[in-house]
Amino acid sequence: MSPRRNRPRAADRPQDRRGSEYGLERTELWRGEEWVVRRITGGAAAKHYRCPGCDQEIPPGVPHVVSWPQAGAVDDRRHWHGSCWNARDRRGARPARSRNAPRY
């Protein structure tokens, strides 16, 4: 008798597991509105973005989240750090400040 396999085989795993994490869109309910959410891999992130949750820059090559209201336009897309998106109820979108404005 051969020993029992402790890890599941690749055929036993769900096929869409990786697809649900990166690249595919899903909808989430936030503040009574449906938002379309897409995770972007580090290799697909090629530009600098400003996270509305922490007001910090997201440099190229950093995985992040893109979200927009389902009823909104393409211009409503916002790029968030993954942790900021997960904590969006604790940190709302902050207003953009000017470059010379104090941080307090």
Side-chain angles (χ1 to χ4, degrees):
M1 178 153 68
S2 54
R4 184 174 76 93
R5 182 184 290 274
N6 288 330
R7 290 180 285 156
R9 296 181 185 186
D12 296 339
R13 291 185 193 142
Q15 295 297 321
D16 60 340
R17 182 171 179 234
R18 175 118 174 126
S20 65
E21 293 176 11
Y22 294 101
L24 295 179
E25 298 174 359
R26 66 178 190 275
T27 57
E28 294 184 16
L29 189 64
W30 182 44
R31 293 185 178 172
E33 190 174 4
E34 288 201 13
W35 287 71
V36 179
V37 179
R38 181 187 300 160
R39 294 197 177 271
I40 305 296
T41 62
K47 292 172 39 181
H48 289 272
Y49 298 103
R50 174 104 19 212
C51 175
C54 64
D55 199 32
Q56 298 295 315
E57 190 174 275
I58 302 173
V62 174
H64 61 277
V65 175
V66 180
S67 64
W68 64 95
Q70 189 169 14
V74 175
D75 294 337
D76 294 336
R77 288 185 296 189
R78 297 292 174 255
H79 295 256
W80 296 67
H81 291 107
S83 57
C84 293
W85 176 254
N86 292 336
R88 64 191 177 272
D89 291 327
R90 293 188 304 269
R91 342 170 142 181
R94 296 183 182 173
R97 61 178 200 277
S98 67
R99 291 184 150 221
N100 297 326
R103 291 193 171 262
Y104 52 89

